[in-house]
Amino acid sequence: MARKPLMAGNWKMNNTIGEAVVLTQEISNQYEKEWPESVDIVICPPFVDLKPAKTVFDFDKTKIAVGAQNVYGEPAGAFTGEISVPMIKEIGCTCSIVGHSERRELFGETNEGVNKKVKALVAAGLYAIVCVGESLAVREEGTTDEYVCAQVRAAFAGVDAREATTCVVAYEPIWAIGTGRTATPEQAEAVCAAIRATLSEMFGEEVAEGMRVLYGGSMNPGNVGELMVQPNVDGGLIGGASLKAASFVQLIEACL
Ligand code: 13P
């Protein structure tokens, strides 16, 4: 089945509101109305930038979506410092990243927490970009597929096939994030195929064939081509290269 690629920019903790407006306007200025025929595009800026980014993209009539980088699993209540799904939905977000390795490593995010967030998102009609990926130690041990597929199973536990169809899995080997060291196309393909096989076990082949599996980790204009030709790589979750309009646009254009 032909899957439409998804290019997702993860700005991480970069760009004040003023800077976000400049960057979204730069992207918007280069926007071509043919893009959405070939590729879906979403930008995931910090929470405070969501509304301004959405306003720029809507004002310029671009079909570029915005999503959050994280969300809390409860709809409202005494959870100081957290942001709920209804809050990002009201801004117009279509999705949220969940379980990024930086959140798992630095903020104690667990598989159970990730699962709660996935359920909260799909229940509200948004989709999750579920991040999974192994450390260098796990890769050297030779247990990458088991480790990553266990993360996939945990993230989608109790989610039904109908809810899962819109969701996305992003394979981000931790050793490739922000390091300039990309997984080889063969390494990326092998793990993305294993992820799809796990999704197929959970949700059936038809649903799994329709779900998008992204690669993330030092994706840039120089390596996007060889990654995107892999049959199980359906796009990218891009950090550094999404922070400059020129490189992000080149990644989009690689999907046309
Ligand atoms: P880089 O593209 O900067 O390696 O970041 C990848 C990433 O973590 C995206 O979520």
Side-chain angles (χ1 to χ4, degrees), residues 164-180:
T165 43
T166 56
C167 289
V168 171
V169 179
Y171 168 53
E172 299 206 307
I174 296 168
W175 47 271
I177 295 177
T179 57

Side-chain angles (χ1 to χ4, degrees), residues 65-86:
V66 297
Q69 296 174 12
N70 180 37
V71 78
Y72 195 60
E74 297 291 336
F79 304 104
T80 302
E82 294 298 316
I83 299 285
S84 71
V85 173

Side-chain angles (χ1 to χ4, degrees), residues 8-12 97 100-102 129 131 170 172-181 215-220 236-243 251:
N10 174 10
W11 287 6
K12 308 193 179 184
I97 297 170
H100 192 282
S101 59
E102 287 151 15
I129 301 178
C131 298
E172 299 206 307
I174 296 168
W175 47 271
I177 295 177
T179 57
R181 184 178 163 192
Y215 169 78
S218 300
M219 189 184 256
N220 61 53
L237 183 55
I238 303 131
S242 73
L243 294 173
L251 294 175

Side-chain angles (χ1 to χ4, degrees), residues 1-243:
M1 181 194 288
R3 291 174 291 269
K4 192 177 189 184
L6 172 66
M7 281 298 177
N10 174 10
W11 287 6
K12 308 193 179 184
M13 197 177 74
N14 292 292
N15 294 325
T16 62
I17 292 175
E19 291 162 344
V21 168
V22 170
L23 179 52
T24 48
Q25 281 176 336
E26 283 172 1
I27 295 166
S28 199
N29 286 343
Q30 297 182 59
Y31 181 82
E32 300 285 347
K33 61 179 187 315
E34 291 76 28
W35 284 357
E37 290 164 24
S38 312
V39 55
D40 288 331
I41 305 160
V42 62
I43 277 170
C44 301
F47 287 122
V48 294
D49 297 337
L50 283 169
K51 183 76 180 166
K54 173 82 178 141
T55 303
V56 169
F57 289 144
D58 285 355
F59 183 81
D60 290 342
K61 297 191 168 49
T62 68
K63 289 204 175 115
I64 300 177
V66 297
Q69 296 174 12
N70 180 37
V71 78
Y72 195 60
E74 297 291 336
F79 304 104
T80 302
E82 294 298 316
I83 299 285
S84 71
V85 173
M87 290 170 184
I88 64 163
K89 186 175 180 175
E90 190 174 303
I91 290 173
C93 288
T94 54
C95 64
S96 177
I97 297 170
V98 296
H100 192 282
S101 59
E102 287 151 15
R103 295 217 55 87
R104 293 182 194 252
E105 277 187 356
L106 304 172
F107 304 102
E109 191 137 315
T110 60
N111 277 335
E112 292 69 34
V114 170
N115 179 238
K116 233 181 140 180
K117 293 173 187 201
V118 172
K119 286 177 172 163
L121 284 160
V122 295
L126 278 69
Y127 70 92
I129 301 178
V130 176
C131 298
V132 295
E134 82 288 4
S135 63
L136 195 54
V138 169
R139 174 152 290 266
E140 285 172 349
E141 222 172 72
T143 52
T144 295
D145 286 6
E146 292 91 317
Y147 184 87
V148 167
C149 293
Q151 287 182 316
V152 172
R153 274 191 215 96
F156 288 104
V159 175
D160 67 33
R162 184 186 49 82
E163 294 167 326
T165 43
T166 56
C167 289
V168 171
V169 179
Y171 168 53
E172 299 206 307
I174 296 168
W175 47 271
I177 295 177
T179 57
R181 184 178 163 192
T182 324
T184 65
E186 294 73 26
Q187 287 172 326
E189 168 60 18
V191 183
C192 290
I195 290 169
R196 196 176 311 284
T198 301
L199 295 172
S200 182
E201 279 167 29
M202 295 184 82
F203 304 121
E205 195 182 337
E206 198 182 327
V207 169
E209 284 298 315
M211 289 176 72
R212 290 182 286 202
V213 181
L214 312 183
Y215 169 78
S218 300
M219 189 184 256
N220 61 53
N223 59 31
V224 63
E226 59 187 20
L227 288 160
M228 286 301 297
V229 294
Q230 302 304 315
N232 283 289
V233 176
D234 307 315
L237 183 55
I238 303 131
S242 73
L243 294 173

